[in-house]
Amino acid sequence: MSSRFAAARWAVVSEQGDGRWRLGVHDEADDELGTIGLGVEGSWEPDVEPHVRFVLVQLGLELAGAHPWHDDELGHHRAPVLPLA
């Protein structure tokens, strides 16, 4: 895993309009460690969510829990992440 994302605790995905999506990786204090524009269009499920999982693995992260995603107060999809074991 990149040391850039060693402190990652949250994946935050927001829709940017016109079917574009953005993945932000945040630390425990909710500071953004980095962002990635996702090269996939469509609805959250079934199109975007599996792509987000794939990108997280490429960053050395995995989702925590069986049903990790929830909508936060800003309407973004948010899930806890952990380093890959």
Side-chain angles (χ1 to χ4, degrees):
M1 170 176 38
S2 166
S3 62
R4 178 179 180 184
F5 298 111
R9 296 295 174 262
W10 295 100
V12 181
V13 182
S14 56
E15 188 172 10
Q16 301 298 293
D18 297 330
R20 294 176 294 134
W21 294 82
R22 178 180 157 275
L23 167 63
V25 179
H26 295 238
D27 65 11
E28 190 67 37
D30 214 22
D31 293 328
E32 195 168 74
L33 301 173
T35 62
I36 299 160
L38 300 172
V40 62
E41 293 182 8
S43 60
W44 175 247
E45 286 197 346
D47 303 316
V48 178
E49 196 273 342
H51 188 76
V52 170
R53 285 180 183 264
F54 176 79
V55 171
L56 288 171
V57 168
Q58 301 306 307
L59 297 175
L61 301 168
E62 64 182 335
L63 295 171
H67 302 286
W69 294 105
H70 67 276
D71 290 341
D72 67 14
E73 63 278 358
L74 300 174
H76 302 144
H77 300 284
R78 179 180 285 262
V81 293
L82 299 169
L84 282 171

